[in-house]
Amino acid sequence: MSSAGARSDAGPIPIFCRREPRVLQISQSERDAVYKAIFARRDVRGEFLPDPIPDEVLQRILTAAHHAPSVGFMQPWDFILVRDPAVKRRIKDGFETAHREAAALFEGDRRERYRQLKLEGILESPVGICITCDRARTGPVVIGRTANPEMDLYSSVCAVQNLWLAARAENLGVGWVSIVHREVLHEALGIPAQIVPVAYLCVGYVSVFHDRPELESAGWLPRLDLRTLIHHDVWGSGV
């Protein structure tokens, strides 16, 4: 088969991913587009539109996620696509429970401010995507995971980030629902006990992307000064 017709199990391979005997150079415009996606990415909660996501667009962002780096090339992720309103409702109910528990951990005015924040778009987004980690996928001994066994979980988080940036490049919004107990996802999505749910993502087109992260705009926390986070050679030797 010619390179023009090459395919993978995940669907058509984008032209820039096809293996050819040449050095792949990134042009300035391509570089700028990557940084634009990074700085324009937002955690979307309340701006989802009901418009369906075309299958080919969904396939592209899943292919991007599947090309994330993984320790030992174990590719521990799976992707559960959620469209059924009844399944979404169960996850939403789980969020509400965890949300109430979280509110009780804050005190005074901060508790009320927390309750007023919109922190998910489970029912509003047309598609939910649960990214999981199969920690036994390639056996008990994995290159690169021998000293730090949690590296497979970190690999799955890389898949989350790849999907998020690809979605932003497709003008799709993504919201990570972290305020939900794992057992809720296990039960609602039929996830086997040995599989770890890493992220439940709300995905869809949106009415607007905010200029700044919502928690920053709301004054919940400021963006830290990068200069205070850089160390040279040893901890505490920053600028």
Side-chain angles (χ1 to χ4, degrees), residues 20-226:
E20 299 177 4
R22 62 186 179 88
V23 177
L24 179 62
Q25 296 291 337
I26 303 295
S27 69
Q28 180 174 332
S29 61
E30 291 168 335
R31 179 201 68 192
D32 292 346
V34 171
Y35 283 109
K36 181 177 181 179
I38 290 171
F39 293 125
R41 184 210 58 79
R42 293 290 176 266
D43 194 348
V44 176
R45 287 84 172 258
E47 294 76 29
F48 285 108
L49 299 172
D51 307 23
I53 303 172
D55 289 342
E56 60 271 21
V57 175
L58 194 57
Q59 191 69 39
R60 284 199 295 268
I61 67 172
L62 291 172
T63 300
H66 185 49
H67 281 75
S70 64
V71 64
F73 201 50
M74 70 180 296
Q75 305 159 76
W77 43 70
D78 283 89
F79 308 96
I80 306 173
L81 306 183
V82 182
R83 296 186 177 91
D84 187 333
V87 176
K88 290 182 180 180
R89 183 72 256 177
R90 289 195 287 272
I91 296 172
K92 170 77 170 183
D93 290 344
F95 164 83
E96 294 292 356
T97 297
H99 187 49
R100 287 192 297 271
E101 295 170 353
L105 299 176
F106 297 102
E107 297 181 353
D109 178 63
R110 203 159 178 82
R111 177 182 298 176
E112 186 56 34
R113 290 180 65 195
Y114 173 83
R115 287 173 172 163
Q116 293 175 359
L117 293 170
K118 171 70 170 171
L119 297 176
E120 51 75 38
I122 297 168
L123 301 181
E124 298 91 336
S125 59
V127 178
I129 301 178
C130 185
I131 299 181
T132 63
C133 179
D134 182 352
R135 309 199 69 184
R137 172 147 295 167
T138 58
V141 181
V142 178
I143 293 175
R145 199 182 64 172
T146 53
N148 297 288
E150 69 277 9
M151 292 302 295
D152 52 352
L153 296 169
Y154 299 160
S155 297
S156 296
V157 174
C158 288
V160 174
Q161 182 75 341
N162 265 26
L163 185 148
W164 211 330
L165 292 176
R168 186 61 186 87
E170 298 280 359
N171 290 312
L172 289 169
V174 176
W176 187 331
V177 181
S178 61
I179 308 172
V180 62
H181 294 294
R182 282 181 178 175
E183 56 266 27
V184 170
L185 296 178
H186 274 282
E187 182 176 351
L189 302 177
I191 300 172
Q194 74 275 14
I195 304 299
V196 179
V198 171
Y200 185 87
L201 307 174
C202 304
V203 184
Y205 293 106
V206 300
S207 58
V208 65
F209 286 100
H210 293 286
D211 291 337
R212 296 191 297 162
E214 290 183 68
L215 292 182
E216 181 183 9
S217 297
W220 186 263
L221 285 172
R223 184 174 296 279
L224 300 177
D225 185 340
L226 175 61

